[in-house]
Amino acid sequence: MKIIEEKYNRYGEEDYDTQYISWGFDDLETQIVMAKKLQKLFPSNANTIVDIACGISRYHQVWLKSGYEVTGIDISKTFIEYSRDYYIDFEKARYLVCDFNELNFENEFDIAIWTDPVELTGISVHRIFKALKQNGVFIYEMWNDNYYKYHTDTRHNDCRTWTYKDGIYHLIRHEYNKITCASEHEEIIFDIPNDTMIHKTGLDAKNVNNHCSVQVLEAAGFKNIRFLDYDGRPFSTENQQIKQFFMIGEK
Ligand SMILES: C[S@@+](CC[C@H](N)C(=O)[O-])C[C@H]1O[C@@H](n2cnc3c(N)ncnc32)[C@H](O)[C@@H]1O
C-alpha cells in the first residue's frame, strides 16, 4: 500500500489555493462587517495599511473606498493574482507575493493588520515592527481559547467521523485539545481501489501561540499592548462568548 503524509494546510501550492477560494475564506458579508469594525480601531491620522497574509482581500474594499492606501502581502500567488484582478480599478491597492517572515519594508505604514492568522512568529513580528512608521499600530486578530473550549461552529466542529464512499474510507478528526489549547485537525483516507493511505495533519498552532504572543510583540519593540474586542471594548480573558478579539501594539 502506498502511504502519503500531507499537510492539511498547503498555502502557496496552486492546486490547494485554487480549491481553498471556494471554501476557506469567510463569506463576503462577514468580511465586510469585520473590516468596518476594524476601521473604527484605526488611528485618526492613518493613511497607509499593510495587510499581512491578506488572502483574496475582498474586505479591502471597505478601506480603499474610505481612501486608505492598502498593500496586501501573501505567500500565495493565486490569492495575490485574485486580489490584483479584484482591485484593478483602485489606484491605491497594491498586492505582493511575500512570505511574512521575509517582509522587507522600513517606516512605511501607519497600520499593520493580520486577520484570521495562521501563525504569529518572532521573525514576522519583528519585520512588521520595522515596516511601521513611528507610532504606527499593529492589529492582530486572535482566537479566544475560552470560546472554543465550550462552543463549536460549522467551521470548527468537533468530530471524529468515519465516512465511506466508492471504496474510500475517510476519517476526519477535528478536536479542541483542552490540555494544549490547540484545535487539532487530522484526516486519514484509505483509498482501497488505489491501494493508498493518505494521512493529513493540520497546523495546530493558532491557540498555543496565543500564550506568548504579548511577549513576542514586546520583544520586537511594541508598547502599549492591549486586547480589544470587535466593538473596541477591552477584551476580558474570562470571556467565553466571543470567538475572536484583537491584540494591538504601538511602535
Ligand atoms: C486563513 S487565511 C486568512 C486570509 C485573510 N487574512 C482573511 O482574513 O481572509 C490565511 C492566509 O495566510 C496566508 N499565509 C500562510 N502562510 C503564509 C506565509 N508564510 N506568508 C504569507 N502569507 C501566508 C495564506 O496564503 C492565507 O491567505
Side-chain angles (χ1 to χ4, degrees), residues 101-116:
N101 292 308
E102 287 166 18
L103 197 68
N104 197 11
F105 296 101
E106 228 170 308
N107 295 318
E108 214 171 296
F109 303 100
D110 301 307
I111 301 169
I113 288 173
W114 196 343
T115 56
D116 199 358

Side-chain angles (χ1 to χ4, degrees), residues 25-171:
F25 298 104
D26 280 337
D27 60 77
L28 182 58
E29 198 186 329
T30 308
Q31 292 211 326
I32 299 285
V33 170
M34 175 275 287
K36 285 182 179 162
K37 289 195 170 193
L38 250 174
Q39 192 174 321
K40 291 194 182 147
L41 306 178
F42 294 176
S44 54
N45 54 352
N47 292 312
T48 47
I49 300 172
V50 59
D51 186 12
I52 313 297
C54 57
I56 54 173
S57 314
R58 289 177 303 184
Y59 50 97
H60 288 179
Q61 58 193 283
V62 173
W63 309 329
L64 287 163
K65 285 177 187 164
S66 298
Y68 292 95
E69 238 173 69
V70 181
T71 299
I73 72 108
D74 200 286
I75 200 161
S76 160
K77 192 164 165 267
T78 310
F79 299 160
I80 288 298
E81 279 170 2
Y82 183 107
S83 305
R84 274 190 200 133
D85 284 353
Y86 202 80
Y87 293 112
I88 193 111
D89 296 329
F90 286 77
E91 256 178 37
K92 289 185 174 179
R94 169 172 70 150
Y95 294 97
L96 308 167
V97 177
C98 174
D99 185 324
F100 48 60
N101 292 308
E102 287 166 18
L103 197 68
N104 197 11
F105 296 101
E106 228 170 308
N107 295 318
E108 214 171 296
F109 303 100
D110 301 307
I111 301 169
I113 288 173
W114 196 343
T115 56
D116 199 358
V118 282
E119 195 171 17
L120 185 72
T121 64
I123 294 176
S124 56
V125 172
H126 187 254
R127 298 290 175 110
I128 290 166
F129 186 82
K130 238 176 83 188
L132 284 169
K133 294 180 193 162
Q134 200 57 42
N135 301 319
V137 295
F138 176 33
I139 305 176
Y140 180 74
E141 189 174 42
M142 295 176 81
W143 307 98
N144 180 5
D145 289 348
N146 294 331
Y147 181 91
Y148 288 103
K149 260 181 212 169
Y150 303 111
H151 303 78
T152 54
D153 60 27
T154 46
R155 281 286 295 280
H156 307 90
N157 225 345
D158 274 15
C159 64
R160 282 189 211 190
T161 312
W162 278 105
T163 54
Y164 174 81
K165 195 175 174 217
D166 302 332
I168 299 174
Y169 294 88
H170 192 162
L171 167 71

